[in-house]
Amino acid sequence: MTDVMANAVDGASSGLLASAVSKNTWRLVPLLGLAYLFNYLDRTSVGFAALQMNKAIGLSATQFGWGAGILFFSYCLLEVPSNMMMYRFGARRWLARIMITWGLAAAATAFAVGPYSFYLIRFLLGVFEAGFFPGVIWYISIWFPAKYRTSVLALFMASTPLSSLLGSPISAALLGMDGLWGLAGWQWMFLVEGLPACVLGVLCLVLLADTPDQAKWLTTKERQALLDELANDKHYKPKKDLWAAMKDTRVLMLTAITFAFTIGSYGIGIWLPLILKNHGLTNMEVGWLTAVPYLFATIGMLFWARLVDRNGQKIYNLMAALILGALGLALSVVFTSLIPALACLTLALIGTISARTVFYTIPQGFLTGAAGAGGIAFINSVGAFGGFVGPYMVGFLKDATGSFDAGMIGMAVILIVATGIAFAFKVVTQKS
């Protein structure tokens, strides 16, 4: 009888937890995912703008690569301070501030008139959006128990490929507004794709709560079941102090890994429109074809996330994703005609984007409290410098060699090195 009663209690608790997770998912993920879609679009749509903008304001490939990546300098510098401010003042207000200011900066790119104004606006964009992505990763960790996080993160991070899947044809169409009301097509693109972030920032103030115990959309029992499950999550040799976390070998190794796959994802994403343009396509054809790899990357990432939640082998899945990314980049050099090369770049994007999703469930296993907010920001800030290195490296090598091949091979080698570091991380974790 006691066992039956215990099972009944466990069943009721599981039902309440599932209901709480479902409500949280519908409340938080669509809004934050849409914000991240525009966030990523702000970074990568510059590749479409380049089809008109580079000639209009006089940018060489190297200057464009520098400007496309320069936001990561300011972004990296301010990631940790931004997340510590979020930890102190609450995610709701801080995320809203980030969205509103970055939306204004993204729209202001429409008024760049040369290399230096382009650099300045992109630098400010990095200042304003610093802390958004790691802030959301930390925010999700305090709202969802560990066994749900990979799938929830995948739903949120699906915005990365979806931003290109949807944004590529939209960006190409906006370029077609060239001359309307005296503005160039690339200027319309920055305005239309930048300002919605301001609206989403206001919605954050209205719809979000800082912590689960403040969630008015949950019943009292659902809230308690969620808080109990979060309290029972196990952390492997946890770090709660930020400085101790930043000196942890595991954190430093994870920083190197995210640096590598960020080089790959941004190196491909920002230059893909110009790579396809080299095949003699129109701007609209480039827009639709650029969307194809991101369609498959979205499907592949969601499938991979479910697999990780089921088997729990995060490190091995991370390594497999990194290897797939490297293989796709290397093969894109071997197969030079349009369709085979596009297929190879699709594999590379599936690998790098899936690696990113799996990766960000790993730090939460040993970083909690202030170390969770600041530590994840530290990993992302240093790693995100790859968002500068990738586009700049590809642009520099393109100017030096006249081909994108050297850049693709360079990124493939970096991903292989990251795979080795991931294996070393597994060994260190097992021994410690």
Side-chain angles (χ1 to χ4, degrees):
M1 181 66 71
T2 302
D3 290 342
V4 172
M5 293 177 64
N7 290 336
V9 172
D10 289 342
S13 179
S14 297
L16 289 169
L17 176 62
S19 178
V21 168
S22 177
K23 287 183 178 181
N24 286 346
T25 301
W26 282 106
R27 185 79 174 198
L28 305 180
V29 174
L31 175 57
L32 295 174
L34 187 60
Y36 189 43
L37 186 150
F38 280 101
N39 177 252
Y40 198 82
L41 191 60
D42 289 339
R43 299 181 187 184
T44 58
S45 62
V46 69
F48 273 96
L51 298 173
Q52 293 180 349
M53 178 184 67
N54 285 9
K55 182 178 180 180
I57 65 175
L59 298 180
S60 68
T62 300
Q63 288 173 326
F64 169 72
W66 177 268
I70 199 171
L71 74 88
F72 290 97
F73 276 111
S74 50
Y75 181 89
C76 293
L77 287 174
L78 295 175
E79 282 274 75
V80 173
S82 179
N83 256 38
M84 297 312 295
M85 295 288 281
M86 184 182 299
Y87 183 75
R88 180 176 180 182
F89 295 112
R92 182 177 66 90
R93 285 175 293 177
W94 198 251
L95 286 173
R97 193 283 304 162
I98 290 174
M99 291 181 202
I100 292 169
T101 54
W102 108 49
L104 293 173
T109 314
F111 305 107
V113 294
Y116 296 109
S117 59
F118 180 56
Y119 298 161
L120 176 61
I121 295 170
R122 296 287 293 180
F123 183 86
L124 290 175
L125 181 59
V127 170
F128 294 139
E129 75 173 51
F132 175 75
F133 177 76
V136 173
I137 298 301
W138 171 73
Y139 188 59
I140 286 174
S141 75
I142 66 174
W143 280 88
F144 294 93
K147 62 184 178 182
Y148 296 98
R149 280 182 203 146
T150 308
S151 294
V152 172
L153 278 175
L155 290 173
F156 165 68
M157 294 175 69
S159 299
T160 302
L162 281 175
S163 70
S164 295
L165 173 63
L166 302 175
S168 297
I170 291 173
S171 296
L174 290 171
L175 292 180
M177 296 174 65
D178 198 41
L180 181 65
W181 294 352
L183 295 176
W186 63 271
Q187 292 176 305
W188 277 113
M189 193 201 73
F190 282 122
L191 290 169
V192 172
E193 294 179 353
L195 292 176
C198 301
V199 178
L200 293 171
V202 174
L203 289 177
C204 276
L205 287 172
V206 176
L207 298 177
L208 297 186
D210 288 326
T211 55
D213 60 311
Q214 300 173 2
K216 296 180 180 179
W217 57 87
L218 299 179
T219 67
T220 302
K221 291 183 178 179
E222 287 170 341
R223 193 180 304 117
Q224 192 57 53
L226 176 63
L227 292 172
D228 289 344
E229 185 68 20
L230 288 166
N232 289 331
D233 272 351
K234 294 181 179 179
H235 296 87
Y236 186 76
K237 294 191 176 182
K239 298 284 186 181
K240 296 184 179 181
D241 174 73
L242 176 58
W243 181 242
M246 290 172 67
K247 295 187 295 181
D248 192 305
T249 301
R250 296 170 296 180
V251 169
L252 298 177
M253 296 176 81
L254 291 177
T255 299
I257 295 169
T258 187
F259 175 76
F261 66 66
T262 304
I263 286 176
S265 61
Y266 280 100
I268 300 168
I270 287 180
W271 284 101
L272 185 57
L274 290 174
I275 292 173
L276 293 177
K277 188 69 175 178
N278 279 352
H279 289 275
L281 304 174
T282 66
N283 289 348
M284 185 56 70
E285 288 171 338
V286 169
W288 285 107
L289 275 182
T290 300
V292 172
Y294 289 97
L295 171 63
F296 288 99
T298 303
I299 296 170
M301 181 192 66
L302 293 172
F303 172 79
W304 217 317
R306 285 186 172 272
L307 181 65
V308 172
D309 270 344
R310 288 173 184 169
N311 64 32
Q313 298 294 329
K314 296 177 181 178
I315 302 300
Y316 290 130
N317 278 281
L318 174 61
M319 292 170 63
L322 291 169
I323 291 171
L324 179 62
L327 182 64
L329 285 166
L331 290 177
S332 72
V333 174
V334 176
F335 300 101
T336 55
S337 58
L338 177 60
I339 301 303
L342 187 62
C344 294
L345 290 173
T346 299
L347 289 178
L349 281 171
I350 292 172
T352 55
I353 290 173
S354 296
R356 181 181 175 88
T357 304
V358 177
F359 174 87
Y360 277 103
T361 65
I362 296 172
Q364 298 163 7
F366 64 93
L367 295 177
T368 62
I376 292 172
F378 174 71
I379 291 170
N380 190 68
S381 66
V382 180
F385 187 62
F388 166 75
V389 174
Y392 181 73
M393 180 180 75
V394 174
F396 176 80
L397 292 174
K398 171 66 166 59
D399 279 343
T401 66
S403 168
F404 287 106
D405 289 356
M408 300 300 107
I409 292 298
M411 290 189 292
V413 171
I414 290 170
L415 290 177
I416 292 298
V417 173
T419 306
I421 297 173
F423 180 76
F425 177 87
K426 180 73 172 177
V427 174
V428 168
T429 302
Q430 288 174 337
K431 288 183 177 180
S432 59

